[in-house]
Amino acid sequence: MRRSEVLAEESILCLQKALVSLREIWEVIGIPEDQRLQRTEVVKKHIKDLLDMMIAEEESLKERLIKSIANCQKELATLCRELCVEPFQEEGEPTILQLEKDLRTQVELMRKQKKERKRELKLLQEQDQELCELLCVPRYDIDGEAVPSIEELNQFRQHVAALRETKASRHEEFVALKRQIILCMEELDHTPDTSFERDVVCEDEDAFCLSLENITTLQKLLQQLDMRKSQNEAACEGLRAQIQELWDRLQTPAEEREALAVVMTGSKAKVKKALQSEVDRLEELKRQNMKTVIEAIRAELAKYWDQCFYSQEQRRAFAAYSDEEYTETLLQLHDAEIVRVKSYYEFHKELFEGVRKWEESWRLFLDFERKASDPSRFTNRGGNLLKEEKQRARLQKTLSKLEEELKAQIEAWEQEHSEAFVVNGQRFMEYVAEQWEMFRLEKERAKQERQLKNKKQTEMEMLYGSAPRTPGKRRGLPPSTPGKVRKLNTTVMSNATANSSIRPAFGGTVYHSPVSRLPPSGSKPALTSTCSGKKKMRAALRGADKENLELNGSLLSARTFKGLQI
């Protein structure tokens, strides 16, 4: 049972108890029955009036709640529609009082959301107006009176953020362009002569309209100034190159050159004017010193011919080179030729550099080959043979790599220009093949000469016996004992067996001439019958053989050491 029901029953009991008490009092007092009836009617009337009044008040409260619910529901529906949200739905079956409270709370929340959205919309519109005026773009299209939805506000925020980024990037670009424009104007001695240029250079940066049109105009202005600056720089560099060339041709002393050092940098108008004056002065001197100038041009031309690997036929094709009549026409011919050759060199500089590098490597390779064929290199100590062999192998790989790279570059160049790339009057790869062929033929010739020499030496040793060939550094040593000779002979013979392919070249085996064979002169040998003469001859032969064996042993050991190193 509810507490309110319990209280109602208690109220009834209290009323009954009060009526009982009244009757008892009336009984004690002795109030007649008719008066008791009247008094009871008065009590009833008081109680009924009080209850009716209370009921009326509660009914009024009920009506107010119902009316408030209706108003809240109506306003809530309007707010949901304006805020673009789902209508409010009460969960379950609440009482009138709870429903009114929930609806009123929801209305207050929706009113707050509406106020916040309107406030943010106004702020975004103000920012949008400021940015659009600065960037010269149309304003964002949105109804300022209606309540924006969350999606509309998000889109508006993104739009304003994009405008801010655009403003920042354009402002940064404007500042960079302005700085470069001011530098170019200072370099060109140019003062702003249009309203736009004055706005850019003189006005406040924040007041400049950052429209696309203005940014594009700024870029065009900078391009124009850069073009003028580049033209001035190119003109000044051309004048400086012309001055340097004339100085070299006229052999101008260093003191005069240093006097013009101030204008040898920069490209301002006064610098250009000073350079042009110097060129005019030097041109006049050139006309007065025609022979000296032409000879200087010829020396420079010869240098470029060398750098371009011109053949003698190509050099002789310029007939004016040998002309001795130093006239203005001859000077013009030389000027035209030096310009042509310079242009040709610059156009093919990368290829010529590659050819030059190949020739340097080729000369080093030939030097290593000459050292490799020099017998005296076996007397070197400290591992030089191994170092030289490694360098020679590395250089040979470098040559092969250079030839492959140059071949690819030249083939691409010839395909692009539809002409042959010529070095010393012939195609480069033919030139390389010719050098390798000459190298091969030279090695073959040297090999044949060595074989012929070794063959003649072997024939002479077979005919007359080996001659003593004691190394120079052993001349001061005392003669070795027979025991040491035999030991060295054993070592030499074992090495000779292991390296039989090189034994004939160094005379590892000693052949004695037969006693019965006559010498080439045809004279008869003087024969002695005494034993002492034979002993002396054998001793002499043993001494010569001993020195031969010592020499052969050292040479074979050096050759064997070289084979181990390689």
Side-chain angles (χ1 to χ4, degrees), residues 72-102:
C72 288
Q73 286 177 341
K74 183 178 178 181
E75 186 177 0
L76 192 59
T78 304
L79 290 171
C80 289
R81 186 171 58 255
E82 289 178 346
L83 297 174
C84 299
V85 296
E86 294 292 332
F88 177 74
Q89 296 291 337
E90 184 69 29
E91 295 180 359
E93 295 181 0
T95 61
I96 295 176
L97 186 63
Q98 184 65 37
L99 179 60
E100 192 273 340
K101 181 181 178 182
D102 292 344

Side-chain angles (χ1 to χ4, degrees), residues 257-458:
R257 301 188 184 192
E258 291 175 359
L260 210 68
V262 179
V263 296
M264 293 306 285
T265 56
S267 59
K268 294 185 177 181
K270 59 182 181 180
V271 172
K272 183 179 178 182
K273 185 176 179 181
L275 292 172
Q276 187 62 53
S277 300
E278 180 66 11
V279 168
D280 295 340
R281 186 184 71 83
L282 293 173
E283 287 289 343
E284 182 62 28
L285 285 175
K286 184 179 76 171
R287 284 189 287 272
Q288 296 173 5
N289 299 272
M290 193 69 67
K291 181 178 179 181
T292 305
V293 172
I294 291 177
E295 288 178 351
I297 295 176
R298 285 176 176 174
E300 186 179 3
L301 191 58
K303 182 188 73 172
Y304 275 103
W305 280 346
D306 292 338
Q307 290 177 343
C308 294
F309 301 96
Y310 265 36
S311 64
Q312 293 300 323
E313 291 77 8
Q314 289 175 301
R315 301 184 188 208
R316 284 194 294 269
F318 182 59
Y321 189 83
S322 57
D323 194 346
E324 298 297 332
E325 293 184 7
Y326 300 100
T327 61
E328 183 69 27
T329 304
L330 186 64
L331 178 60
Q332 292 175 357
L333 290 174
H334 280 74
D335 282 335
E337 180 65 13
I338 194 69
V339 168
R340 186 188 68 80
V341 175
K342 273 185 180 179
S343 175
Y344 179 74
Y345 173 74
E346 292 297 332
F347 192 68
H348 306 82
K349 187 174 182 179
E350 185 178 356
L351 291 178
F352 287 137
E353 288 295 325
V355 173
R356 181 190 58 78
K357 189 175 180 181
W358 181 88
E359 286 212 331
E360 290 176 356
S361 301
W362 178 252
R363 283 194 295 270
L364 286 174
F365 177 72
L366 294 180
D367 289 341
F368 277 118
E369 287 295 327
R370 281 193 291 272
K371 289 180 182 178
S373 60
D374 185 7
S376 64
R377 73 191 187 112
F378 294 111
T379 60
N380 293 331
R381 297 180 183 272
N384 289 335
L385 293 178
L386 183 59
K387 292 179 182 177
E388 288 182 7
E389 197 63 31
K390 288 182 178 180
Q391 290 175 356
R392 190 162 70 95
R394 186 165 55 248
L395 189 59
Q396 193 163 3
K397 291 180 180 178
T398 303
L399 274 173
S400 301
K401 184 178 179 182
L402 276 174
E403 288 171 10
E404 292 176 0
E405 291 177 355
L406 283 171
K407 182 180 180 182
Q409 292 176 3
I410 290 172
E411 286 178 353
W413 184 92
E414 290 180 344
Q415 186 176 3
E416 180 181 356
H417 297 86
S418 301
E419 60 176 308
F421 181 76
V422 178
V423 173
N424 291 330
Q426 64 182 137
R427 302 182 72 162
F428 177 70
M429 296 314 297
E430 295 176 358
Y431 171 73
V432 171
E434 181 180 331
Q435 295 298 314
W436 280 106
E437 182 63 19
M438 291 172 62
F439 171 71
R440 187 188 65 78
L441 293 175
E442 180 65 22
K443 287 192 71 173
E444 187 68 24
R445 184 190 61 80
K447 179 180 178 182
Q448 291 176 359
E449 288 181 356
R450 287 196 303 270
Q451 290 176 349
L452 182 61
K453 182 178 178 182
N454 292 336
K455 183 179 179 182
K456 289 182 179 180
Q457 182 180 356
T458 304

